[in-house]
Amino acid sequence: MTDIHPVPSWLTGIEEQAAGRMPTFPVGEDGEGRRSAVLMLFGPRDGGGEDIVLTQRADTLRQHAGQVSFPGGGVDPQDASPQETALREAHEEIGLDRAGVRVLGTLPSLPLSVTGFHVTPVVAWWESPSPVRAAEAEVARVERVPIADLMDPANRFTAIAPARRFAAPAFEVDGLYIWGFTAIVLDALLTLTGHTLPWDESDERVVPERYRRR
């Protein structure tokens, strides 16, 4: 029988915790745009602690090629909710078995001025983890990144893109360069739940050109 891992206490009631407490997204703007959803899938690690699933997008994609992201994508007409979108896209991108996933809630929808999408982050707990793999057409790499590594001050810095007047928290873990929307939402949620340590926000690094492709 497959073990069922209980939701950690810091993720309990996450939707209520986030209400009115998530920061304004610094590169977004109001307006109409296509709706999309991403899955912030946290899971248990052997030996204790938690991790989160992140993907590196394929270099052949037209938008955000090579960038690190959460599994997710645009809402299809048959999707009944952002949760349905996020789970469907995660199945398509990494082969996720949704039967082992417990959705905990959604965070406020965030507009992305660069792509015109309005993105709803869906927070979930992987209570019964199963194998995942990268879908070659869309995803080059899929990783379960330990929360402890994201908290490590040595892996944190401020990413800047002068042409966009962009400066925001970023991470670099195990060869994954995490910046932009993904890093901002991840930083906000970790801060909200008390999973941050003091880090050098004055350590400013220009985002490499290969990660700035739209």
Side-chain angles (χ1 to χ4, degrees):
M1 181 177 178
T2 303
D3 291 337
I4 301 297
H5 299 269
V7 179
S9 59
W10 62 273
L11 279 174
T12 302
I14 192 62
E15 194 168 43
E16 292 77 13
Q17 290 185 61
R21 298 180 62 188
M22 296 294 285
T24 301
F25 193 55
V27 297
E29 58 187 22
D30 292 334
E32 294 300 323
R34 187 182 177 192
R35 300 287 167 174
S36 63
V38 295
L39 187 66
M40 300 184 72
L41 179 59
F42 294 91
R45 291 190 66 77
D46 292 339
E50 294 83 36
D51 55 30
I52 188 169
V53 175
L54 296 175
T55 65
Q56 184 167 19
R57 293 166 61 83
D59 287 333
T60 54
L61 295 178
R62 289 186 299 174
Q63 292 183 331
H64 303 301
Q67 293 190 14
V68 175
S69 64
F70 306 112
V75 173
D76 281 353
Q78 69 270 22
D79 294 337
S81 65
Q83 294 90 331
E84 288 295 320
T85 297
L87 290 169
R88 175 183 55 75
E89 285 283 340
H91 175 71
E92 294 174 4
E93 292 182 358
I94 64 174
L96 178 68
D97 180 1
R98 63 185 296 170
V101 175
R102 179 176 175 181
V103 173
L104 302 178
T106 60
L107 304 184
S109 179
L110 300 168
L112 286 176
S113 59
V114 173
T115 60
F117 278 83
H118 283 245
V119 186
T120 299
V122 176
V123 181
W125 173 246
W126 211 356
E127 59 184 8
S128 181
S130 55
V132 291
R133 45 86 184 129
E136 294 182 6
E138 299 182 55
V139 178
R141 180 180 174 187
V142 55
E143 295 290 341
R144 297 183 62 173
V145 179
I147 300 303
D149 289 353
L150 294 170
M151 292 176 62
D152 187 343
N155 297 330
R156 305 211 56 182
F157 56 96
T158 298
I160 60 173
R164 298 187 193 175
R165 299 181 181 179
F166 177 95
F171 309 79
E172 191 160 14
V173 178
D174 193 24
L176 294 175
Y177 189 96
I178 310 165
W179 78 291
F181 171 86
T182 302
I184 291 170
V185 175
L186 192 52
D187 170 73
L189 188 61
L190 293 178
T191 299
L192 179 67
T193 58
H195 284 74
T196 54
L197 296 171
W199 57 281
D200 186 4
E201 297 182 36
S202 68
D203 179 9
E204 297 184 344
R205 308 179 194 178
V206 175
V207 180
E209 178 62 33
R210 65 182 180 278
Y211 298 125
R212 280 185 269 159
R213 292 175 294 171
R214 294 186 177 184

